[in-house]
């Protein structure tokens, strides 16, 4: 397995290195993404594909009276997320699960907010995944997707050739899939780096 395959599902030593890199490398993207939404201090939030857990930590600071749940299908990612959010977990403000977005282990209408940072590229069925997120969001709940790759240049295509199973979506493709899942009030933004942020409401 190539080192970059660990972006899909971190494993072994290379996976440990990758989740540490993700926590640092995706920080600017996350900070930019959070400028597109407001998070209530008592919100119940879900980070899907939580990776190394750094975005969970950011969300916990934004909702000190709420809860943040993380889920990832990589055992290494889950362990790292638990480690860096240990204090919040001990105070019952955070939980981390190993699982798959195709079958989220949560009750209907549980969350005020769901986020997906640099992860939908690796979801096996984006339509089913979006339906699952729609299901677990409360009425008027928000789903935010942030990607560094917009699918609009040759560099993006190169990554899909290097990383098996990766698919990069344009903002229009994401918007179309969200509409099919039932989301409304869909807003898209793109910055000068080519990053995209899509925010939708249930």
């Amino acid at each position: 397995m190539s080192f970059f395959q660990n972006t899909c599902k971190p494993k072994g030593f290379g996976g440990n290195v990758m989740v540490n890199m993700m926590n640092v490398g995706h920080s600017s993207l996350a900070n930019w993404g959070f400028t597109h939404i407001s998070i209530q201090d008592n919100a119940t939030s879900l980070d899907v594909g939580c990776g190394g857990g750094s975005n969970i930590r950011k969300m916990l600071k934004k909702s000190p009276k709420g809860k943040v749940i993380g889920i990832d299908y990589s055992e290494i990612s889950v362990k790292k997320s638990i480690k860096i959010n240990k204090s919040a977990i001990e105070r019952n403000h955070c939980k981390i699960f190993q699982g798959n977005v195709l079958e989220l282990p949560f009750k209907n209408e549980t969350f005020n907010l769901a986020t997906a940072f640099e992860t939908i590229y690796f979801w096996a069925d984006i339509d089913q995944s979006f339906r699952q997120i729609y299901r677990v969001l409360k009425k008027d709940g928000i789903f935010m997707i942030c990607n560094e790759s917009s699918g609009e240049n040759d560099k993006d295509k190169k990554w899909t050739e290097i990383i098996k199973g990766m698919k990069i979506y344009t903002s229009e493709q994401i918007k179309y899939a969200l509409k099919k899942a039932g989301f409304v009030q869909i807003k898209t933004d793109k910055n000068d780096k080519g990053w995209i942020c899509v925010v939708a409401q249930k």
Side-chain angles (χ1 to χ4, degrees), residues 30-125:
N31 291 338
W32 176 70
F34 284 128
T35 66
H36 295 81
I37 59 173
S38 59
I39 305 177
Q40 295 181 340
D41 64 358
N42 63 346
T44 301
S45 303
L46 173 67
D47 189 26
V48 185
C50 62
S54 63
N55 291 331
I56 290 174
R57 187 161 55 185
K58 292 176 189 289
M59 293 159 75
L60 284 163
K61 289 181 180 178
K62 294 176 182 295
S63 52
K65 298 178 183 178
K67 289 189 176 182
V68 181
I69 309 299
I71 189 166
D72 200 290
Y73 71 168
S74 162
E75 182 179 354
I76 283 176
S77 295
V78 169
K79 286 181 178 178
K80 180 67 174 180
S81 290
I82 289 172
K83 183 178 180 180
I84 76 165
N85 293 291
K86 183 180 178 182
S87 175
I89 292 170
E90 290 174 347
R91 291 183 285 111
N92 200 32
H93 284 285
C94 178
K95 291 183 180 179
I96 315 289
F97 295 91
Q98 186 173 1
N100 197 310
V101 65
L102 293 174
E103 194 173 352
L104 292 174
F106 309 114
K107 294 180 180 179
N108 295 353
E109 301 186 355
T110 298
F111 301 99
N112 304 106
L113 169 69
T115 58
F117 296 94
E118 285 285 88
T119 184
I120 69 167
Y121 315 123
F122 311 115
W123 295 358
D125 185 333

Side-chain angles (χ1 to χ4, degrees), residues 2-3 9 12 18 21 38 43 60 76 88 151-152 175 190 194 197:
S2 73
F3 173 69
K9 188 175 184 179
M18 182 60 74
M21 289 174 61
S38 59
L60 284 163
I76 283 176
E152 297 176 358
K175 186 175 181 179
K190 180 180 175 181
C197 180

